[in-house]
Amino acid sequence: MDSYEIQRRRRINSDYELTFMVPMTSEDYREKIAIKGHVRDERGQFYVIQSRSRSREGRKLTANIYCNHIMFKLNDFKFPYASYIAEAYGIHISQLTNLITSATGGRFTFVIHDSFDLHDVKDFGRGTCLEALNQIVQMYECEVEPDNFVINLRKKIGADNGLQYRLKKNIVSSSFKDKGESLVTRMFSQMKDGRTFIGMDASKLTDEERSLLSGIPGAIVNGKLAVNYLISPYAQYWSSDSVPFFDGEIIEQDIEEQGDLLEATRKALREQEVVSLEVTVSTADLFKIDNTEPKPALGDTVTCIDPGMDMNKLKARITELNEYPYSQDKHSEPTISNVNLRDYTDIISDLERNKNIINNLFSNGKIRTEVFESFAKQAVIDINNSKTEIKYDQRGIVLQDQTNALNQVIMTSNGVVLTTDGGKTARTAITALGVVAEQIIGQLGNFVSLVIGNGNNVTKINTNGISAGHNDYNSAPFRVDMQGNVVARSIKLTGEIDNSEMKSSDITASNITASNIKSTTITASTVKASTLTGNEIEGGTITGTLFRTAKSGRRIEINSSGLTAYTSGGGEALSLGQASDGGGLVFMDDGSPRGSIYGDSNGLRIGNMGGIYIKSVDDMTYMQGPVDFTGAAVTGLKISSIDDLKGKMDDLKRDLDDFYGRLFEDLIINATFDSKSRNLKLYSAARTVATVNIPADEGSKS
């Protein structure tokens, strides 16, 4: 009860943190706050107390409590060696999650909500159960949504509930950043032992990939791939005379098949062929005062509308969410992005993993490669089949191959030389200064220098540090010295940069204009796209027979007949087209017409096989001009719903009641004549209105 400044921070497939402050003098601190203890938030989720930071300000003693979600207790369970998988093929995701459940004694369970493809598994379960879960997330490309000890795995968490962040409604402040540092429009790739998919049949490419590569001379020769890269369909939008492509490369040592490498290259290119964007918004939590307002959730798709910030219906996902669930005066701070952003913890984790790999590689770690296996096998065969002649000359002892005299091993007082040209040059030499060899295959020890590659396309590890991209350490675009200083051409950092200085010669963002993009004409028979984000085509013309956002499933197509939208199942949902001298908009349910709007020179018509509903949520519904209800049967229309009609009808009723009263009292409906009294009586429905005496005529008494 004494806690305050309660903040919850969640990121997709990353941190789930809860922090709060509490006075050290309170009973809550003394009796309830304990390391590895638990707290529960308003969502019913448990968090483990991991640290307590105490501070003094005069006589005020305060503790800052840091907790993370109970899911991270997976890090306390070591994955058993008996369940370790060195190599397996075609494994279902549930087989691996069941191993984690077993390793935790059944404490953690998994619910798999989507269908995931089978995956080949290698070196699984070397660390903790949390590391095993991270490996599953990377292999099967799923997203984690924990519910205490039940971990839900989906292809994508969150939903699209139509949530909008709109200026003058719920945006308090915002910042918008788009970055092209990691943009790649041509992706190179390698797999195990440096092999590529060069030589693979070009028929395995998609139509789009084959069309793009066919425009590159020599990329496809005799129906075979002659290059180890794929080209992005967006390359033309970013190309210039000086830089036709932005190149990137992936190296997947776990892949051995060309088809698998091709798929990995496609995936990597899709992830990097668009500009990454990030929006940080301070929003008004309207749902705290109005429960009908939507509440943002991690992974939800939202639309940002702030034209002044270049956010024109910008659509992306909530990848990070800072919340203040117990404070009415503090609002959520979502981070909206088209990529899963990496934070400092993620980067450090990757660096630690890479360091362990390098330590294993250079500390007598066994290298399991086809190169070593084939080399060792062939070496044994060659040695067993060798026919050696021993000679002595001024150099020392010479072991010469009898079938090829150029192959020699020369043992001298200064060292041993292995040569294939009779001793002119050494393929391998062992001297007092060290070992020189074209290849070292097997177990590696401690070296003064290690060089991978040749020319300037090298990675070096030596007494200067680690460098890549240039033969000279000081000219390398990436280098780390022995003091931990890092120089890199491009670094992605999300988090806090403390006590540092950032220098840059040129930073360009928000608006980039190229001379050959504006006011041009793009003509094509077909333009296909799955996603266009952050791009603008201004002042130009796009001409083609078909424009569509996907080959199949949920998509929009535009052709000479009009515009058609399709559902994920392939059925038509909406079509907009022209007919004779008019145009029509038809709404369909999986291809079956349900409603239409059609207009021509005779007017505008709205029709539907069911009901038609016209409703304005934020304002009135206005009908102007003459309205004709001929042929219409109106139901449900109440007099009270028509402005001032009830009052007029009430006034008319009062007038009719008054008029009826007067008629009832005064309207003569009957008369009687008494011949004796000579009285004529006139009657209304209610009374005798008048009595008239008619005197007798003296001349007619008889």
Side-chain angles (χ1 to χ4, degrees), residues 41-247:
D41 64 10
E42 90 290 355
R43 300 169 63 244
Q45 297 298 303
F46 283 99
Y47 288 75
V48 181
I49 298 174
Q50 298 289 18
S51 68
R52 300 177 293 182
S53 302
R54 305 163 182 84
S55 64
R56 173 192 288 275
E57 297 179 9
R59 300 180 63 182
K60 181 180 178 182
L61 303 177
T62 308
N64 186 354
I65 310 301
Y66 167 80
C67 319
N68 59 14
H69 193 274
I70 202 166
M71 172 183 66
F72 293 95
K73 291 190 73 172
L74 284 169
N75 203 41
D76 298 331
F77 292 90
K78 180 71 174 66
F79 199 86
Y81 184 76
S83 300
Y84 169 78
I85 299 177
E87 196 170 43
Y89 301 96
I91 300 301
H92 191 272
I93 187 173
S94 62
Q95 294 179 246
L96 304 183
T97 57
N98 289 341
L99 291 176
I100 297 178
T101 298
S102 177
T104 62
R107 193 70 182 95
F108 284 90
T109 58
F110 293 82
V111 179
I112 301 170
H113 294 269
D114 298 306
S115 297
F116 295 92
D117 294 334
L118 303 181
H119 201 284
D120 296 341
V121 177
K122 182 176 291 186
D123 197 27
F124 176 80
R126 188 176 289 275
T128 66
C129 289
L130 184 61
E131 290 180 83
L133 175 58
N134 288 334
Q135 195 171 351
I136 291 174
V137 169
Q138 293 175 7
M139 285 191 298
Y140 293 91
E141 299 179 14
C142 53
E143 293 185 354
V144 177
E145 190 172 42
D147 183 7
N148 289 327
F149 291 98
V150 178
I151 300 176
N152 298 279
L153 297 180
R154 292 182 169 88
K155 287 186 176 179
K156 181 180 288 187
I157 65 173
D160 187 352
N161 297 319
L163 177 61
Q164 291 186 355
Y165 290 130
R166 184 187 293 268
L167 183 66
K168 297 184 179 179
K169 179 183 179 183
N170 54 359
I171 290 182
V172 178
S173 63
S174 63
S175 64
F176 175 32
K177 175 172 65 176
D178 49 2
K179 299 185 296 182
E181 296 171 344
S182 59
L183 179 68
V184 173
T185 58
R186 183 170 61 179
M187 182 65 72
F188 291 80
S189 62
Q190 295 182 40
M191 55 182 171
K192 186 175 181 180
D193 299 327
R195 293 181 293 126
T196 69
F197 49 64
I198 292 177
M200 186 178 65
D201 197 312
S203 63
K204 294 186 178 181
L205 300 173
T206 64
D207 293 341
E208 183 179 63
E209 291 168 348
R210 189 162 52 250
S211 174
L212 291 169
L213 287 175
S214 297
I216 307 297
I220 299 178
V221 179
N222 297 326
K224 304 288 185 181
L225 276 171
V227 295
N228 64 322
Y229 59 76
L230 294 178
I231 298 175
S232 168
Y234 309 128
Q236 57 179 326
Y237 301 121
W238 302 105
S239 64
S240 63
D241 294 337
S242 57
V243 183
F245 297 105
F246 293 93
D247 290 337

Side-chain angles (χ1 to χ4, degrees), residues 5-30:
E5 297 291 341
I6 304 169
Q7 178 180 356
R8 182 173 59 226
R9 175 176 180 264
R10 293 180 292 153
R11 298 169 61 90
I12 294 178
N13 288 351
S14 186
D15 300 332
Y16 276 57
E17 300 175 347
L18 184 71
T19 60
F20 59 91
M21 308 287 287
V22 63
M24 293 177 62
T25 55
S26 66
E27 293 183 0
D28 282 350
Y29 176 78
R30 293 194 301 268

